[in-house]
Amino acid sequence: MNALAATNRNCKLAARLLGLDSKIEKSLLIPFREIKVECTIPKDDGTLASFIGFRVQHDNARGPMKGGIRYHPEVDPDEVNALAQLMTWKTAVANIPYGGAKGGIGCDPGKLSISELERLTRVFTQKIHDLIGVHTDVPAPDMGTNPQTMAWILDEYSKFHGYSPAVVTGKPTDLGGSLGRDAATGRGVLFATEALLNEYGMSIAGQRFVVQGFGNVGSWAAELISENGGKVVAVSDITGAIKNEKGIDIPGLLKHVKQNPGVKGFHGGDPIDPNSILVEDCDILIPAALGGVINRENANDIKAKFIIEAANHPTDPEADEILSKKGVIILPDIYANSGGVTVSYFEWVQNIQGFMWDEEKVNEVLKQYMTRGFKDVKEMCKTHNCDLRMGAFTLGVNRVVRATLLRGWEA
């Protein structure tokens, strides 16, 4: 089942649990607007190249739409639709005043020079500047984009609308980016895990973790977990996988990754088959890479008692059922990885106020949001007698529907 089918399925199940009218259920799945634009730029060698840029704006009942811009050669419209919809539910679960969006450009950023990427970003911004905005749609970095991309969008947008730092988040701090944003998703994963373990009278300290994916989210999660006494016993990324039953030296691994392409070749652990990472023996599994990695083929072999979804849509619905029968507790992506968008919200608030926070405040308020978010999800689980995924979806869908009806938009 692809990401869009799975997201639609979860939304429909949540709508039925909430007893919603079928008209409202249908309207929840239809995006507010889909934008597709041609972006033609001169390349460094003087030839012209054309790329397709797009933006899916899913829902704005609760506030401006929010979501990443990715640069990737294979942009699947279904996946982008699914991710835009996920952002609607994620911002509602986090209780921040946003709706969902997603977009990007079909290109291979590795094959473009910095100046070509800048020209492409500026042309894309020229094409969509009147469809994004501080109170309309606020982009952020995603796969293949970074704070520099956001700086170019901010500059190009400001040529049309005056200086507007709040039009994008995930910016460099010199242009109004928030302190703590870089670590936010990983730190949110830590706070979410703490909140879940707390329910079972447990703590991070002494638990054995496996982390799949050692990019921004996985590496920050691993670093913060090991600082809090957790033992990371296996880690993987696109270069390979390593394992150390006594616990991997995460600061040492971070140093290795800075100097090398990835975790492969790190001497503080034994190399293992990257395909076996998800079924390694551990207490807590953190998939922090791609979607759809936990499926019916490997679900039966998973040994973890808890799965914290740091990636978007890492677990297929078929795997969900298998794991649920095994008694594995899954903390769903739309809550577990919402630390990033929550700190993006803090950045937006700071930009609008023109008053920046120190890092301590960012982390402290993030912890409050993540802790309260978990309590809200648990309340829905009790009310509707459902698992954490459905608890999160009913919470998100309910908040969006209430805002929709209050605004008089019912179908």
Side-chain angles (χ1 to χ4, degrees):
M1 192 182 287
N2 72 12
L4 184 60
T7 309
N8 284 348
R9 172 184 178 272
N10 287 329
C11 177
K12 284 174 183 170
L13 287 171
R16 278 160 211 173
L17 273 177
L18 292 162
L20 297 179
D21 182 286
S22 63
K23 266 197 213 161
I24 291 174
E25 183 190 309
K26 245 185 215 157
S27 72
L28 290 172
L29 304 178
I30 301 164
F32 166 75
R33 178 161 52 198
E34 292 187 45
I35 302 148
K36 199 172 181 183
V37 293
E38 185 184 29
C39 301
T40 303
I41 58 158
K43 295 191 76 180
D44 293 344
D45 62 7
T47 61
L48 290 177
S50 283
F51 303 90
I52 300 294
F54 56 91
R55 186 80 174 157
V56 174
Q57 298 175 328
H58 177 256
D59 189 278
N60 61 356
R62 299 182 66 255
M65 293 162 286
K66 186 91 193 72
I69 286 184
R70 54 175 53 184
Y71 288 2
H72 193 267
E74 288 159 36
V75 173
D76 173 18
D78 273 4
E79 189 186 17
V80 175
N81 256 301
L83 293 170
Q85 192 190 129
L86 269 181
M87 284 302 292
T88 297
W89 314 133
K90 191 183 293 185
T91 51
V93 168
N95 209 12
I96 54 180
Y98 287 143
K102 205 76 174 185
I105 300 173
C107 69
D108 185 345
K111 290 183 179 166
L112 296 172
S113 69
I114 296 291
S115 58
E116 286 168 344
L117 282 169
E118 178 176 353
R119 287 196 288 277
L120 182 56
T121 303
R122 289 181 182 278
V123 168
F124 182 49
T125 308
Q126 288 164 15
K127 296 282 177 96
I128 65 164
H129 75 89
D130 53 348
L131 300 168
I132 62 171
V134 176
H135 300 291
T136 312
D137 178 1
V138 182
D142 199 299
M143 201 189 294
T145 57
N146 57 29
Q148 178 60 71
T149 320
M150 297 305 108
W152 292 328
I153 294 174
L154 160 60
D155 182 68
E156 198 62 31
Y157 180 86
S158 297
K159 289 176 185 174
F160 297 93
H161 303 273
Y163 185 60
S164 314
V167 72
V168 285
T169 59
K171 300 180 292 295
T173 49
D174 292 337
L175 286 174
S178 178
L179 296 170
R181 175 64 190 88
D182 191 41
T185 311
R187 195 176 294 278
V189 167
L190 171 81
F191 294 150
T193 308
E194 282 177 339
L196 176 64
L197 292 176
N198 204 24
E199 278 285 304
Y200 295 86
M202 298 156 78
S203 69
I204 298 267
Q207 302 298 327
R208 292 169 312 127
F209 290 80
V210 164
V211 181
Q212 186 213 24
F214 207 67
N216 173 279
V217 181
S219 61
W220 273 110
E223 181 177 356
L224 295 164
I225 282 161
S226 85
E227 278 174 16
N228 281 270
K231 193 193 279 188
V232 180
V233 294
V235 165
S236 75
D237 67 4
I238 49 167
T239 65
I242 50 163
K243 178 182 179 180
N244 185 337
E245 283 296 345
K246 293 176 182 162
I248 293 166
D249 166 24
I250 297 297
L253 179 58
L254 287 164
K255 246 182 226 162
H256 171 85
V257 168
K258 268 191 186 139
Q259 292 155 4
N260 298 278
V263 303
K264 191 180 178 182
F266 180 62
H267 296 306
D270 301 317
I272 56 167
D273 177 4
N275 295 322
S276 74
I277 190 85
L278 297 165
V279 299
E280 287 296 329
D281 188 28
C282 64
D283 302 310
I284 298 163
L285 171 63
I286 302 181
L290 298 167
V293 292
I294 300 173
N295 47 47
R296 61 170 177 236
E297 275 79 49
N298 59 15
N300 276 313
D301 302 322
I302 285 174
K303 298 172 186 72
K305 302 173 194 76
F306 299 94
I307 295 174
I308 315 293
E309 295 188 334
N312 282 322
H313 183 62
T315 315
D316 272 359
E318 294 97 326
D320 245 350
E321 282 176 36
I322 296 166
L323 292 163
S324 166
K325 281 175 191 156
K326 283 175 68 177
V328 177
I329 308 296
I330 301 175
L331 200 56
D333 49 3
I334 61 168
Y335 162 69
N337 68 26
S338 63
V341 73
T342 303
V343 174
S344 272
Y345 164 59
F346 300 164
E347 181 178 326
W348 182 74
V349 165
Q350 292 168 73
N351 294 156
I352 288 169
Q353 287 187 323
F355 182 82
M356 303 310 284
W357 303 356
D358 60 32
E359 194 164 351
E360 205 178 322
K361 178 173 178 177
V362 171
N363 295 340
E364 185 190 316
V365 183
L366 173 61
K367 185 166 190 175
Q368 287 168 14
Y369 269 78
M370 295 302 295
T371 309
R372 191 181 61 208
F374 184 76
K375 282 184 184 146
D376 292 346
V377 170
K378 283 299 285 185
E379 278 299 308
M380 289 306 254
C381 292
K382 282 177 196 153
T383 305
H384 297 286
N385 188 25
C386 59
D387 63 10
L388 288 165
R389 188 179 310 283
M390 271 304 111
F393 266 91
T394 50
L395 175 65
V397 169
N398 193 41
R399 281 179 173 158
V400 172
V401 168
R402 273 165 44 196
T404 304
L405 297 177
L406 284 166
R407 292 182 70 168
W409 291 356
E410 61 265 55

